[in-house]
């Protein structure tokens, strides 16, 4: 197994567990979530932080959660793969496509309450073959629900390229079998995603049913931090790095006479919205708090 | 027994459950019921009899045969503040939807640091005794009770079914409500006499974690649940003074009632329709050994041996515990 050794011990670092970074997938998050409101629901899979940021999740408390602190969004019990921020309608499940049924449920709730809320379920292209996704497409279509399924196609299901495990190549064609609108944005362009998502979210919000939207993104980094990517050619890694949607957007903006200074100012605004490690709360105590063994149930009491 | 003796209105267990669901649905427009064949068919096991007529197909919803999709939809609707009941037609079908049950429904409250609640009821038909074979006859009580984050309820009478169902619907956390097919009072699957009981018209709750002494006795404690409450009561007529405890809920588990009984009798027989190993019988005995070892003189357990439920009638009858098996174990505690 030479060469498969991770770059570091993922059980020993400051961030516990296998962290999945989302660099290269920003367009899918921003392009879609820009159309959403706080009360719209988003469910996300294990590679989720770009989506969480785009949906408006509390960054300080998310950071604290990533570090496993009790000040985190989930009191350190959920971790970076299971982020919940109900103030902005964000929930995540690490199990492939199992966020789709809950998104369908949020859409069903909106329909029952006659509200114009929309639900968005994000999955990766590696999950196109999972039952929960296919069941959810049918359920959403037959009940005409306000939900958008967003497939982030980064070409890789850990080590397996899409064309080796999934047919058809264009995942949005899954929609055809469910009498649903399907669409695919085939390049890493946040503006193109924004336009396609505008159609899809608008369709849902207007009560005209669900959409399946596949968005081509790319995986700039490894599957999880420390993954040596022995399965992936250097050429592929280099090609992916050339597809940065942030650079593409910068080019587009320059074409509109936005100067480097303004672009730098925009870039600086991002990091400042999160206060960083010092503000995320104290490091974990050696002895976990009493809350470790509680709250499998709600803190509220049953209705009488 | 907890049932008031003077009740002249008797009901089947399914009738009592349906009455509760209707009462709660009238009071709360945010309640709805999802399942396969629950609308026009009234539920295969009469679990929704007449409800579609009153509430319509929007609130008594037939769903695609997609347990993952609709149970997951119920999880999220509950998180949004609605009060869904999702019916898994046979508990044996949990395999195709278990992720939504144990990774989402049961864990979201804990994983989110209690920032979400999942106030839903998952109902499912359990049990054998009618030759439906290995994939339609299991109890699986222990499977659900083993996994943290969900309450697990098993009624054995109409009276209990009503109080437990009110409590299940009003609970702010996920409740798995397992009803035994043989107890429902279905025309094509006749129930024994026991589950049809008097049921008050007014609403009442039975708190979870309150086991019920269905028969008081001084010599041997028999702890059981579901159908086997009735088989244990039948066995108790064999001459030994048996105390029969109906657990009614596994999660939470009423340890105190069992301990108190064992302090009196010193003899414990645990009876379960689930598999023998790593299940309810082992857990009950373990709790009593941990906290009441000094009171225990003798222990027996009666359960399904560790094989799938066979189809043939004599074969199934052989492995599902009956009153004779319970009588034998009661006698064994005295030998």
């Amino acid at each position: 197994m030479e060469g498969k050794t991770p770059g570091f011990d993922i059980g020993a670092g400051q961030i516990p567990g296998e962290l999945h970074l989302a660099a290269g997938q920003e367009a899918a998050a921003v392009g879609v979530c820009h159309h959403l409101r706080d009360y719209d629901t988003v469910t996300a899979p294990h590679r989720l932080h770009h989506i969480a940021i785009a949906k408006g999740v509390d960054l300080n408390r998310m950071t604290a959660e990533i570090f496993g602190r009790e000040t985190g969004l989930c009191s350190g019990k959920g971790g970076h793969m299971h982020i919940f921020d109900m103030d902005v309608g964000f929930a995540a499940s690490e199990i492939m496509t199992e966020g789709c049924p809950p998104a369908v449920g949020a859409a069903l709730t909106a329909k029952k309450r006659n509200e114009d809320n929309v639900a968005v379920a994000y999955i990766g292209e590696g999950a196109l073959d999972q039952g929960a996704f296919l069941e959810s497409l049918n359920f959403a279509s037959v009940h005409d629900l306000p939900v958008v399924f967003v497939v982030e196609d980064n070409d890789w299901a850990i080590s397996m390229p899409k064309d080796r495990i999934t047919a058809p190549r264009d995942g949005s064609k899954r929609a055809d079998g469910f009498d649903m609108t399907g669409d695919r944005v085939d390049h890493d362009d946040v503006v193109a995603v924004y336009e396609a998502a505008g159609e899809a979210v608008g369709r849902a919000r207007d009560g005209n049913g669900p959409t399946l939207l596949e968005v081509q993104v790319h995986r700039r980094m490894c599957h999880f931090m420390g993954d040596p990517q022995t399965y992936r050619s250097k050429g592929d890694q280099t090609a992916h790095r050339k597809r940065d949607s942030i650079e593409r957007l910068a080019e587009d903006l320059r074409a509109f006479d936005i100067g480097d200074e303004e672009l730098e100012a925009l870039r600086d605004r991002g990091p400042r919205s999160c206060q960083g490690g010092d503000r995320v709360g104290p490091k974990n105590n050696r002895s976990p708090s009493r809350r470790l063994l509680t709250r499998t149930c709600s803190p509220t009491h049953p209705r009488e | 027994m907890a049932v008031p003796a003077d009740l002249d209105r008797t009901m089947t267990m399914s009738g009592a459950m349906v009455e509760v669901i209707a009462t709660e649905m009238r009071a709360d427009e945010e309640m709805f019921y999802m399942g396969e064949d629950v609308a026009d068919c009234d539920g295969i096991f009469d679990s929704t009899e007449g409800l579609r007529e009153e509430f319509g197909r929007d609130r008594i919803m037939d769903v695609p045969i997609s347990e993952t999709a609709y149970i997951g939809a119920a999880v999220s609707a509950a998180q949004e503040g609605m009060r869904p009941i999702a019916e898994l037609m046979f508990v044996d079908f949990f395999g195709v939807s278990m992720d939504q049950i144990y990774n989402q429904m049961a864990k979201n409250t804990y994983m989110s640091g209690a920032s979400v609640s999942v106030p839903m009821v998952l109902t499912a038909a359990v049990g054998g005794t009618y030759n439906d074979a290995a994939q339609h006859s299991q109890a699986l009580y222990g499977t659900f009770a083993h996994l943290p984050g969900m309450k697990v309820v098993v009624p054995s009478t109409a009276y209990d079914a009503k109080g437990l169902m009110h409590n299940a619907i009003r609970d702010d956390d996920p409740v798995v409500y397992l009803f035994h097919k043989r107890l429902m009072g279905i025309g094509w699957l006749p129930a024994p006499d026991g589950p049809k009981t008097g049921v008050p018209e007014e609403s009442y709750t039975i708190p979870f974690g309150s086991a019920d002494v269905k028969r008081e006795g001084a010599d041997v404690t028999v702890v059981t649940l579901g159908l086997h409450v009735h088989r244990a009561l039948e066995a108790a007529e064999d001459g030994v003074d048996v105390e029969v405890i109906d657990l009614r809920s596994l999660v939470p588990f009423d340890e105190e009632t069992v301990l108190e009984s064992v302090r009196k009798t010193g003899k414990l027989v645990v009876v379960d329709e689930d598999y023998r190993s790593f299940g309810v019988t082992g857990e009950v005995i373990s709790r009593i050994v941990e906290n009441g070892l000094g009171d225990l003189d003798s222990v027996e357990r009666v359960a399904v041996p560790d094989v799938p439920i066979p189809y043939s009638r004599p074969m199934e009858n052989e492995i599902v515990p009956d009153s004779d098996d319970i009588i034998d174990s009661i006698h064994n505690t005295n030998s």
Side-chain angles (χ1 to χ4, degrees):
Chain A
M1 300 304 273
E2 194 180 348
K4 288 202 78 175
T5 315
F8 48 85
D9 177 357
I10 63 168
Q14 286 214 21
I15 297 177
E18 43 164 337
L19 184 67
H20 307 93
L21 294 178
Q25 303 192 181
E26 298 86 352
V30 174
V32 175
C33 292
H34 226 66
H35 296 285
L36 302 181
R37 305 165 185 169
D38 279 354
Y39 54 72
D40 293 327
T41 293
V42 166
T43 65
H46 57 287
R47 197 179 305 283
L48 60 86
H49 302 117
H50 58 313
I51 307 167
I53 292 166
K55 186 64 174 66
V57 165
D58 184 320
L59 293 187
N60 287 315
R61 295 188 65 208
M62 180 165 82
T63 307
E65 188 62 34
I66 289 170
F67 281 91
R69 310 246 172 118
E70 289 194 15
T71 49
L73 280 166
C74 309
S75 310
K77 290 172 171 176
H80 43 70
M81 285 187 275
H82 311 107
I83 297 286
F84 291 80
D85 188 348
M86 300 318 276
D87 289 345
V88 294
F90 184 88
S93 168
E94 190 271 335
I95 307 292
M96 285 290 137
T97 73
E98 297 290 343
C100 292
V104 163
L108 180 69
T109 302
K111 187 175 179 186
K112 282 185 177 297
R113 288 174 171 166
N114 201 24
E115 294 170 339
D116 72 347
N117 302 16
V118 167
V120 175
Y122 277 88
I123 66 168
E125 96 291 337
L128 278 166
D129 310 316
Q130 269 284 17
F133 168 58
L134 301 168
E135 289 188 18
S136 298
L137 291 181
N138 179 63
F139 196 108
S141 184
V142 80
H143 287 287
D144 218 18
L145 296 180
V147 58
V148 180
F149 300 92
V150 177
V151 180
E152 294 181 284
D153 179 4
N154 71 6
D155 297 341
W156 289 96
I158 304 186
S159 69
M160 300 184 292
K162 188 184 188 184
D163 58 7
R164 196 145 57 77
I165 58 169
T166 297
R169 182 72 184 84
D170 176 355
S172 71
K173 289 196 172 144
R174 287 268 190 275
D176 299 347
F178 299 94
D179 274 348
M180 187 188 295
T181 306
D183 193 9
R184 176 177 157 86
V185 177
D186 64 1
H187 56 302
D188 299 55
D189 182 345
V190 68
V191 178
V193 175
Y194 177 81
E195 284 168 0
E199 290 281 321
V201 173
R203 182 176 297 117
R205 209 178 294 289
D206 292 344
N208 293 323
T211 304
L212 171 58
L213 175 64
E214 184 169 82
V215 177
Q216 181 67 57
V217 294
H218 63 281
R219 202 176 88 191
R220 296 182 78 75
M221 307 179 87
C222 36
H223 168 62
F224 62 92
M225 285 302 290
D227 167 18
Q229 298 197 91
T230 48
Y231 48 82
R232 195 175 176 193
S233 73
K234 293 288 176 223
D236 184 81
Q237 296 183 45
T238 311
H240 269 235
R241 277 195 289 273
K242 286 181 181 159
R243 284 160 47 185
D244 190 355
S245 63
I246 298 173
E247 286 307 321
R248 184 195 291 268
L249 181 62
E251 287 304 315
D252 290 349
L253 290 172
R254 284 191 190 98
F256 286 95
D257 289 335
I258 308 283
D260 284 348
E261 211 168 293
E262 279 172 276
L263 288 174
E264 277 311 306
L266 282 171
R267 283 182 201 276
D268 279 354
R269 266 169 52 186
R272 273 208 302 273
S273 55
C274 184
Q275 304 291 346
D278 292 344
R279 300 285 185 88
V280 299
K283 286 192 178 175
N284 270 351
N285 311 324
R286 288 222 162 69
S287 58
S289 81
R290 286 175 292 127
R291 286 201 289 180
L292 175 63
L293 295 179
T294 61
R295 301 207 177 177
T296 53
C297 297
S298 307
T300 49
H301 298 291
R303 297 185 304 174
E304 290 301 328
Chain B
M1 279 172 78
V3 184
D6 58 346
L7 285 171
D8 50 12
R9 190 183 75 135
T10 59
M11 296 185 91
T12 61
M13 207 166 88
S14 69
M17 287 165 56
V18 168
E19 178 173 89
V20 175
I21 295 164
T23 303
E24 295 282 351
M25 284 186 70
R26 278 179 215 124
D28 185 354
E29 287 190 349
E30 297 266 279
M31 259 194 79
F32 63 101
Y33 197 110
M34 281 195 288
E36 292 150 4
D37 305 296
V38 300
D40 293 16
C41 181
D42 286 332
I44 300 291
F45 304 109
D46 295 353
S47 56
T48 51
E49 180 122 45
L51 291 176
R52 196 259 309 168
E53 217 164 283
E54 179 175 352
F55 297 101
R57 288 202 189 104
D58 280 345
R59 296 185 68 195
I60 304 296
M61 291 175 64
D62 277 337
V63 292
I65 304 174
S66 302
E67 287 82 0
T68 295
Y70 76 80
I71 292 173
V75 169
S76 184
Q79 287 177 187
E80 299 278 340
M82 298 195 86
R83 295 263 164 183
I85 299 178
E87 178 182 307
L88 182 61
M89 186 190 284
F90 286 79
V91 78
D92 314 69
F93 302 168
F94 85 99
V96 295
S97 55
M98 197 56 179
D99 190 76
Q100 289 299 331
I101 297 168
Y102 94 115
N103 264 335
Q104 321 286 334
M105 181 185 88
K107 286 181 185 164
N108 280 359
T109 297
Y110 184 86
M111 280 201 312
S112 69
S115 65
V116 306
S117 298
V118 190
M120 66 176 279
V121 183
L122 176 68
T123 61
V126 301
T129 74
Y130 65 104
N131 317 120
D132 219 4
Q135 296 176 345
H136 290 76
S137 301
Q138 298 166 99
L140 299 181
Y141 301 132
T143 302
F144 290 86
H146 174 65
L147 299 160
M150 47 192 156
K151 294 165 186 172
V152 180
V153 180
V154 184
S156 70
T157 67
Y159 179 87
D160 288 354
K162 176 163 175 166
L164 292 168
M165 182 61 90
H166 270 301
N167 217 42
I169 292 169
R170 295 175 189 187
D171 200 290
D172 281 339
D173 294 308
V175 177
V176 179
Y177 188 105
L178 301 173
F179 56 86
H180 199 293
K181 288 162 259 179
R182 178 59 85 187
L183 300 180
M184 290 291 268
I186 308 159
W188 49 271
L189 192 56
D193 288 337
K196 193 169 179 180
T197 62
V199 178
E201 288 192 30
E202 64 273 17
S203 298
Y204 57 93
T205 57
I206 294 173
F208 301 153
S210 60
D212 187 37
V213 178
K214 286 281 193 284
R215 180 188 195 281
E216 287 191 21
D219 293 341
V220 178
T221 300
V222 175
V223 176
T224 187
L225 72 171
L227 172 68
H228 282 74
V229 169
H230 305 284
R231 294 193 168 181
L233 288 169
E234 203 183 311
E237 298 306 315
D238 188 53
V240 183
D241 193 14
V242 173
E243 180 145 300
V244 176
I245 296 178
D246 177 2
L247 289 172
R248 298 199 292 198
S249 73
L250 290 173
V251 182
F253 177 70
D254 181 359
E255 195 171 290
E256 194 43 49
T257 296
V258 181
L259 277 171
E260 196 179 313
S261 178
V262 169
R263 261 179 234 127
K264 178 171 65 178
T265 64
K267 301 186 184 74
L268 175 64
V269 176
V270 187
V271 182
D272 183 17
E273 192 179 329
D274 204 349
Y275 304 116
R276 181 182 177 88
S277 295
F278 306 101
V280 170
T281 53
E283 180 63 23
V284 172
I285 291 165
S286 170
R287 297 281 190 112
I288 302 314
V289 166
E290 280 171 340
N291 297 306
L293 184 60
D295 299 313
L296 267 183
D297 299 323
S298 182
V299 178
E300 287 280 320
R301 62 168 152 176
V302 187
V304 174
D306 297 322
V307 294
I309 313 287
Y311 166 64
S312 118
R313 190 161 296 145
M315 289 171 79
E316 184 186 15
N317 288 346
E318 179 63 27
I319 65 148
V320 175
D322 58 18
S323 55
D324 286 340
D325 297 320
I326 302 169
I327 288 168
D328 288 347
S329 288
I330 290 168
H331 289 154
N332 284 345
T333 61
N334 277 320
S335 60

